[in-house]
Amino acid sequence: MPSRADIAYFGAGPAPLPTDVIEAGGKAFVNYNDTGLGLAEISHRSPIANKVLADTKAALTTLYDIPENYEILFMQAGGSGEFSAVVYNLISVWVERRRRRAEVEIRKTHAGEQKEKIDQLVVERLKKEVEEELKLDYLVTGSWSNKASQEAARLIGPEYINIAVDARKSNNGKFGNIPSEDTWNLTPSKKEGGQGSAFVYYCDNETVDGVEFPGFPKRLEAQTICEEEDRLVVADMSSNFLSRKIDVCKYAIIYGGAQKNVGIAGITIVIIRKSLLPPQTVVPPSSIFHEIGLGGLPGPITLDYPTMAKNNSLYNTLPIFNLWVAGQVMARSISTWGDKKISGQEEAANAKAKLLYGVLDKYPQVYRVVPDRSVRSRMNICFRIYRGDTEKEKEFLAGAEKRMLQGLKGHRSVGGIRASNYNAVPMENVEKLAKYLQDYHNFSRVQIVYTPCISNCIFATAIEDWRSKMLLRGFSILPRCGRLPLPATASSVYRSTRLFSRILKVQHDVFHAQKEDVATAAILSSIQTSSPTPQTLTEKIVQRYSLGLPKDKFVKSGDYVTLSPYHCMTHDNSWPVALKFMKIGASKIHDNRQVVMTLDHDVQNKTEANLKKYRQIEEFAKVQGVDFYPAGRGIGHQIMVEEGYAWPGTLVVASDSHTNMYGGVGCLGTPVVRTDAASIWATGRTWWQIPPIAKVTFTGVLPKGVTGKDVIVALCGLFGKDEVLNHAIEFTGSPETMQSLPIDARLTIANMTTEWGALSGLFPIDPVLKSWLRYKATSAALFKDYGLMESKTIERFNHEKLDKFLENQLTADKGAKYAKQLYLDLSTLAPYVSGPNSVKVATPLYELQTQNITVNKAYLVSCTNSRASDLAAAAKVFQDAAKTNDDKIPHIAKGVQFYIAAASLPEQELAEATGDWQTLLEAGAIALPAGCGPCIGLGTGLLEPGEVGISATNRNFKGRMGSREAKAYLASPQVVAASALNGIISGPEWYEKPAMWKGVATGEGDGIKEENRMINAEEALEKVIGQLDDMLAMAESDLSGTNDPSPAAEESLNEILPGFPEKIEGEIVFCDGDNINTDGIYPGKLTYQDYVPKEQMAEACMSNYDPSFNSIAKEGDILVAGFNFGCGSSREQAATAILAKEIPLVVSGSFGNIFSRNSINNALMGLEVPRLIQRLREVFSEPQSTSKSKNQAITEPSQHSQSLDHPPPEPTETPQPEKILTRRTGWRLTWDVRRSRVEVQEGEHGLKWSQRVGELPPNVQDIIAKGGLEKWVQGQINERK
């Protein structure tokens, strides 16, 4: 089942509400403020209800600056009910004002007449004025204003209705514009020589048609200071209520249903001028309406504004819960936007709408926005696909559903697509939709961009010839502006094109047509020589720690390797790893110097069970002779760094997701699961697939008051769309830039690359790191080791070792290929805060602190930011404050609890030596032992329901640090300290926003503007070749699956180990769903049951996804599923259950990272073949859709994120209800392992095609052939006996 966070909902109403309001509402519905009753049960006349009513009124008054001469009513019957209420009430006002005027004038002309006679004359005059002068003006610009006018005509007759504007008449019979105001046929006011209308009605935003008035119409501006002689303007703002600033004084009545921007259906908000209510305007006797021909008035009493005003909206039972929700939404707006009030919300709405319209306008050949540009709604963005192609629109909606983009179907009366951009729709969801709009366009129309080159170069001629051939093959080739100079000498051309040969060797199928051309064939044949592959720093380190590589093999991203890591660390999970280690038959650790054990997670737990586990771990470490660090010594990751286990240029693993932290000192750190750790203990080895590698370039230098924590918090928020999910990151920058990032800042950044979604975060080995290493070597020589074991620090940090290291240090090669490149200009960065409850929500501190967010708990703990430098930064906040407090350290704010724990004992002792630790204690901080503690929700000081915490830790997932009903923010140590001191989220004011600051500069690439780029001729050609490389990758993706493999491919044969099958084949069983998570594969209720029989596992396999799977799938079938198969939790049974079903192979568009690793560890084979998923869906899933282009890009659905420690459960996307969840296809798949190729036979007489797939290297074959990693380890142990 999907969670709220998974869904991006764009429904037109009821609309999404803020999640925190929904969650608070759930509590209030059950037990409001500990009264024992839910809000829906409390009397609407109780003091509690009256307070809710008063608070909601006050909030609305604040937001809209409603003056005192206006009343706020809370009605029922929705916006449609107000169609009637406006007519009933304002005709009553019109009649009463005419009656009073008539009575005054008749009494003057008929002085001395009896009252009965006067009354008769008044009625006669009123009846005549009704017949001759009563008009209700309607501006009909969309479906809702049209319905309002129709309701008015139904109530009092069409003869009284003046359609002053009908937008259809100027737009070919359809709504979509607002005619020029000089064409409006309004009833003339008194100033214009007429008698005026009873009111003028318009709908400010039309949800069905996507039309919104840009502002208050000039034609309706007040003409006099006398209300009775001016137009009464009524605005239906149901769908743009509270979305932009308005001048309430210009309106007689504003109303809106709550279910769009304010709350839930059930209440309608009416803002009405008090002059239209008693005592200023009384309601005429009901008898008079019958006498003048308006017998249906004054209407139902529950729609009577005077009655509702007199009874404070409580004439009948007001749904107090609904009202409370609206009040909470309003209060949240006040808290969010502060002094900006509605203007802040208006800016947000405008930004979201601008993003969507920008994408739609960019691709007019695919998208057509319905309304005219001048009146486009910010709230309801209506557009058509291919000018209203209904089949394409169905396809678009189906694709959107698969990405969890919901509620996009246009209104049933007009069709098309409608994205409702209401206030609670976050920018994150709008960006998801914008990305899908972009992807859908790309899916429909492939374009290749090329850079024209100088024509007198033979290489340029080849490019132009290539361009011609690609045009003939149906691609759209678009020139990119600007020309790059090419080197003049043939030698430099040849040197640069050698990089090109590597691409051609792999992607030969793309250039099959070129090989038939004489001119291009000559060029291609001239560059077919091989050369060493430039490597990234990550690849170079992996190369060093890989075993069994063939001669001259240079590892690259995507390769499977057998690793012997430099070190392997386990913490509190050491005993579970030890049990697994002993279970596989191991008794002695293969290399006890490779293993490090620390106790850090649950160090505050003094229960006998935990102490027993700690004793078992310590005893095991002692017996095995491994380095062991007891509870209280520090957090394992900090120990690995400060003790020199995480050494620059090495590869170190740990059974914890924050192993990434080692990248701060140039050590490639990456997490492993427990089975891997047991394998390393027993054999010294495990396997790894090198992930895609991303380069993040820093430019500029950090401003004063900005820290490494601000860098990574900003990266997580500004690049929060899974840009680096499951990537290895390499950080780089100029020497000046990197000098502004000290080692402690780098450790913080690398640590939290885990939260960014990466598998590692590696900094370069540069002068900053070298200086730190020299400092550590000197310290180790001068001071006693802090460990409680025999001192070994001097062996790891010494100048002799450093001298040798620096003679052969590693750097990334020039020309190394990265999967993507991003940049961040540090000089544009400000202090940032993450949250609440998500690292993907990052807000500049100067924005957040205006909201006066109360803090209950503050935390300076964890391996992320609890080193001595962090404690010093926090202490400085209090020390600075002491200067204005008679040099006395001020105490933290009342009601705040401030917890501190050093990352390690040495760091605490250093802070004590400088006096910083004592400063924090004097300020009222509560000291905890060095360990993880509150960061992972263990021990003292956890967040309670309703509390707000701010922390310098690394994660703020809901419930991570305590109650799920609490809110957690992440920030730098100084911001945490300042927040504890002030009692609200705030900073120490060290940061000064630069003059002319325009926001944080980020983006794709390296951040260097083209006009500022200095490159030589060879670099220029390298750039051209790089562009070709990108084009080739795209073309290969588009043309994957070509039927005829080239001879070169056939000659490249993969080594097959004895006993491993050369081919695997079977019938395809298709489970048509993306994001099928591990709970869908194997039920959670069985996960923690021991000794589940194989037969029961087989029966349970895929049962949560489709209960009928067990009866459909057979032994030997090949299971094929959609994208991101096996996302979610790390349960190994998801793999073993499929094996229990005797299914040898799983094929998907892509796999979840953890599942992929567990599959190989348990001997389940898997292949990623996106094209197969596309073909199956073309044939089986969308029989009514139009045929798809053969050149469509095959892309993975976005937002497939998962946490490395405790992945949140992913939703299971299933097809439409009428489709089959699991089907036998009659298709057969054959995997030729030796040739790394799959062949698909689409039914007995159907299409037959093949496609290359990734190699299955011998090391992985060996693990699978042995029955999984544990059995492979057992075999290794037996060989040593």
Side-chain angles (χ1 to χ4, degrees), residues 117-260:
K117 179 64 175 181
I118 296 294
D119 290 344
Q120 180 184 351
L121 291 173
V122 169
V123 168
E124 290 174 355
R125 177 171 165 176
L126 279 177
K127 186 174 183 181
K128 182 179 180 181
E129 288 181 352
V130 167
E131 294 172 352
E132 297 177 354
E133 298 176 9
L134 176 60
K135 291 296 179 184
L136 280 57
D137 286 353
Y138 280 82
L139 309 183
V140 178
T141 56
S143 300
W144 292 113
S145 51
N146 188 42
K147 286 188 175 184
S149 68
Q150 292 171 348
E151 174 65 359
R154 186 185 71 84
L155 292 176
I156 64 170
E159 65 272 20
Y160 299 115
I161 310 305
N162 173 43
I163 304 299
V165 173
D166 188 343
R168 292 170 293 189
K169 294 181 179 180
S170 60
N171 195 45
N172 299 317
K174 296 181 180 180
F175 294 119
N177 70 354
I178 298 177
S180 174
E181 291 187 19
D182 58 9
T183 66
W184 294 3
N185 184 31
L186 293 167
T187 301
S189 65
K190 284 191 175 182
K191 187 174 181 180
E192 295 167 342
Q195 294 298 318
S197 60
F199 61 84
V200 180
Y201 166 97
Y202 75 97
C203 182
D204 203 31
N205 183 78
E206 293 280 359
T207 61
V208 173
D209 311 286
V211 173
E212 184 176 27
F213 280 78
F216 188 86
K218 292 183 179 179
R219 281 289 304 275
L220 304 184
E221 292 281 359
Q223 298 173 331
T224 72
I225 60 173
C226 177
E227 180 190 69
E228 293 194 14
E229 294 182 2
D230 227 322
R231 293 188 172 99
L232 297 180
V233 179
V234 178
D236 177 352
M237 295 188 180
S238 289
S239 54
N240 64 352
F241 200 79
L242 294 181
S243 73
R244 64 180 177 185
K245 188 174 182 179
I246 61 171
D247 185 354
V248 174
C249 294
K250 292 182 177 182
Y251 302 85
I253 295 175
I254 299 168
Y255 72 81
Q259 67 272 19
K260 312 288 186 178

Side-chain angles (χ1 to χ4, degrees), residues 627-639:
D627 288 357
F628 170 78
Y629 293 84
R633 169 57 177 78
I635 301 172
H637 297 308
Q638 176 65 26
I639 291 171

Side-chain angles (χ1 to χ4, degrees), residues 501 541 737 829:
S501 70
I541 294 175
T737 295
L829 198 60

Side-chain angles (χ1 to χ4, degrees), residues 334-393:
I334 295 172
S335 172
T336 301
W337 305 116
D339 292 338
K340 287 186 175 182
K341 299 179 182 177
I342 294 301
S343 296
Q345 183 63 63
E346 184 174 5
E347 291 172 6
N350 291 345
K352 293 186 292 178
K354 181 179 180 181
L355 175 61
L356 292 179
Y357 282 126
V359 178
L360 295 170
D361 290 340
K362 186 177 179 180
Y363 304 115
Q365 70 275 28
V366 176
Y367 306 114
R368 179 179 65 82
V369 178
V370 172
D372 183 80
R373 186 183 295 269
S374 63
V375 295
R376 289 178 174 178
S377 169
R378 300 162 306 121
M379 296 288 102
N380 306 101
I381 297 164
C382 300
F383 58 97
R384 304 305 299 258
I385 308 288
Y386 287 105
R387 298 188 177 275
D389 184 326
T390 55
E391 292 301 316
K392 288 288 186 183
E393 288 173 345

